[in-house]
Amino acid sequence: MQTILAVNCGSSSIKFKLFTIPQLDTLISGQASSVASRGSKPSIKLTVHHEGGRDDHENEEEDENMPYEDVFERIIVLVEEKATRLEQFEKFKADDVIKAVSHRVVHGGTETEPMLISQEHQEGLQKLDDLSDFAPLHILCFDTLFHSTLPAHVYTYPITAPKQEPAIPLRKYGAHGLSYAYILRTMSEHLGKEKDRLNLIMCHLGSGASVCMVKDGKSFDTSMGLTPLEGLPGGTRTGSIDPALIFHHTPDASEKVDFNGLPVSKGEMIMNKEGGLQAIAGTSNFGTIAATMRSSSPDPKSHLTPETAKLTYEVFLDRLLNFVGAYLLKLKGDTDAIVFSGGIGEKSADIRRDLAEHIDGVEIDEEVNAKGVDERKGDVVEISKNKVVGGGRKSVRIFVCFTDEEIQTAMMTLDVLQRRNL
């Protein structure tokens, strides 16, 4: 049996799943947290999924300040060790069993297909040297691919061409595309409607948050732009603000500073790391913000007051309404569903209810909304009461959908392998 290892590397986390080929059954799943975080001990949680539904859970803590590369190598060792417990293998050795590794990459520029990197691509493998020893094929799955269908009038910025040729065209690219692709496929199955006939407004709300409008099964507009900084405020990102603001806030905004070994402008660093929910509330934890907003006393850990929590929540809701409202107009009343996903979208009954209250004819089932979606089942839940409004027209339906970027990259990788007979 051969497998695909799906890897989702973040700045301080590594998510991973091992799938069978071609069924894409999950054999092992896990996540490393607090990776390369100064003063923190990385932890690796891993689950072995046996036939018949039995799961074995493992959790280990690593040495403080363990380098990112060492954490990844430890993950590979653990996958090899734990896979030997599976009924499908007599023994498991990564370089014999893993056919390909799929990688989630945030920005793919103008690429419209996943990128295959093999041992013949030395330049590409240098970027993936931590993985090249045990897997012959690597497929890069870009978050921007889903938005390659954006029309020109949506992706074009009204500014003159730069004097120096940029690395990629300066236009809207969007993000969270792997999540949106998974949600689109899942909603198509759930509603029993072909993807190319679906009109959706999808809200991927987490520490990084965005909204996407799908028209006839294709991305037609999205809130993030050239970079993930445009659009909704995030945990530490400002989202869209007056472009001149940063030069008044930080007069030396154009100066270069070091960020994780890369030179970036001070203004860009501040808007990405010192903005968003954290800038107003002092915490990026949306659960804490929502709970404190409903409380009569400050949060004992963050010292966040109910007044500040309410302001933070209302800022986020206001910006979300701006995009959802605009996309409802663009779809001219032909919206199959609004779908919430991501950490905030899946867990916050408040944000779902408060957005729905602004849409004519929508009534939320409070009991279902309070329960939300069951992450373990990976299911879809409708939280609206699908009723008829004026003129016999049905109200907009609202769903919560658990998203899975790892299986989406695995599906894209399997497609590449099959199309190229690899």
Side-chain angles (χ1 to χ4, degrees):
M1 177 182 289
Q2 291 190 310
T3 62
I4 293 172
L5 177 64
V7 179
N8 187 345
C9 292
S11 58
S12 60
S13 67
I14 305 172
K15 296 180 182 179
F16 56 93
K17 287 186 179 180
L18 187 70
F19 298 97
T20 61
I21 294 177
Q23 301 88 351
L24 295 183
D25 295 328
T26 306
L27 299 175
I28 294 176
S29 62
Q31 177 173 346
S33 304
S34 300
V35 183
S37 298
R38 184 173 298 176
S40 299
K41 292 184 177 181
S43 63
I44 301 175
K45 293 182 179 180
L46 181 148
T47 301
V48 180
H49 304 278
H50 293 273
E51 293 178 334
R54 181 173 63 87
D55 292 340
D56 289 338
H57 302 282
E58 304 281 343
N59 188 10
E60 72 172 40
E61 192 174 69
E62 309 301 337
D63 294 335
E64 186 174 326
N65 299 323
M66 187 177 188
Y68 200 107
E69 296 80 3
D70 293 351
V71 175
F72 194 93
E73 289 178 7
R74 180 58 185 160
I75 288 172
I76 300 305
V77 171
L78 287 173
V79 168
E80 286 188 322
E81 288 179 357
K82 307 308 177 186
T84 57
R85 300 181 184 179
L86 290 164
E87 298 80 0
Q88 294 93 327
F89 301 104
E90 292 183 6
K91 66 176 182 177
F92 184 101
K93 187 167 173 42
D95 54 1
D96 292 333
V97 179
I98 297 177
K99 172 73 172 180
V101 180
S102 64
H103 304 262
R104 172 184 175 246
V105 180
V106 173
H107 214 304
T110 56
E111 295 292 330
T112 58
E113 293 285 340
M115 182 181 294
L116 171 66
I117 295 181
S118 66
Q119 290 179 340
E120 286 74 31
H121 296 82
Q122 294 302 319
E123 182 179 352
L125 281 177
Q126 287 175 7
K127 302 175 183 178
L128 300 168
D129 55 0
D130 294 324
L131 297 171
S132 60
D133 290 339
F134 71 88
L137 298 173
H138 301 266
I139 287 85
L140 309 187
C141 302
F142 303 108
D143 254 334
T144 48
L145 290 180
F146 186 76
H147 305 295
S148 62
T149 56
L150 291 175
H153 70 273
V154 170
Y155 70 65
T156 299
Y157 290 118
I159 191 170
T160 58
K163 295 179 180 179
Q164 293 184 338
E165 188 70 21
I168 57 173
L170 302 182
R171 47 157 287 184
K172 179 188 282 283
Y173 289 98
H176 292 140
L178 296 172
S179 174
Y180 290 136
Y182 178 87
I183 295 168
L184 175 60
R185 179 177 61 85
T186 302
M187 291 304 301
S188 172
E189 295 172 356
H190 184 81
L191 295 173
K193 192 172 184 178
E194 294 295 325
K195 286 191 294 185
D196 60 7
R197 295 176 54 233
L198 273 180
N199 293 339
L200 300 174
I201 298 173
M202 301 182 285
C203 307
H204 180 106
L205 309 179
S207 57
S210 70
V211 187
C212 176
M213 170 190 151
V214 163
K215 183 178 181 181
D216 297 327
K218 295 180 175 60
S219 177
F220 193 87
D221 202 348
T222 190
S223 57
M224 286 183 169
L226 173 68
T227 74
L229 187 58
E230 185 180 354
L232 294 174
T236 61
R237 292 187 188 121
T238 61
S240 295
I241 59 174
D242 187 322
L245 184 149
I246 190 62
F247 298 102
H248 295 279
H249 176 280
T250 307
D252 57 348
S254 60
E255 285 188 9
K256 294 293 184 182
V257 295
D258 179 80
F259 178 67
N260 291 340
L262 296 173
V264 299
S265 70
K266 184 181 290 186
E268 191 172 3
M269 190 272 291
I270 288 173
M271 289 188 290
N272 274 285
K273 292 298 178 182
E274 297 180 17
L277 306 179
Q278 183 173 275
I280 307 174
T283 177
S284 59
N285 188 314
F286 196 84
T288 298
I289 293 167
T292 305
M293 176 184 67
R294 297 189 299 268
S295 175
S296 58
S297 57
D299 175 62
K301 186 175 181 180
S302 65
H303 308 295
L304 174 64
T305 65
E307 295 77 17
T308 303
K310 186 173 185 292
L311 172 63
T312 308
Y313 178 90
E314 290 179 345
V315 166
F316 186 80
L317 175 62
D318 175 76
R319 303 324 189 255
L320 178 61
L321 288 170
N322 287 345
F323 286 103
V324 173
Y327 295 165
L328 283 169
L329 281 174
K330 285 190 172 187
L331 287 172
K332 300 178 181 179
D334 186 16
T335 304
D336 290 297
I338 296 173
V339 188
F340 287 91
S341 195
I344 295 173
E346 293 163 12
K347 297 175 183 177
S348 178
D350 292 317
I351 204 75
R352 298 191 297 260
R353 180 191 62 249
D354 291 343
L355 181 137
E357 286 180 352
H358 288 78
I359 305 173
D360 182 45
V362 172
E363 183 181 354
I364 291 296
D365 186 318
E366 293 292 349
E367 184 178 348
V368 176
N369 185 44
K371 291 180 181 178
V373 68
D374 189 337
E375 180 177 337
R376 293 169 299 177
K377 295 180 181 179
D379 56 0
V380 179
V381 173
E382 181 169 9
I383 61 172
S384 58
K385 297 179 179 179
N386 188 18
K387 65 177 186 178
V388 176
V389 293
R393 177 175 54 88
K394 285 187 177 180
S395 61
V396 177
R397 302 173 70 180
I398 301 183
F399 294 83
V400 188
C401 177
F402 177 72
T403 191
D404 191 331
E405 293 167 317
E406 288 73 52
I407 195 168
Q408 182 62 32
T409 65
M411 292 174 64
M412 295 166 74
T413 296
L414 181 61
D415 179 63
V416 171
L417 296 177
Q418 292 175 338
R419 283 191 290 110
R420 302 196 183 193
N421 295 317
L422 296 173

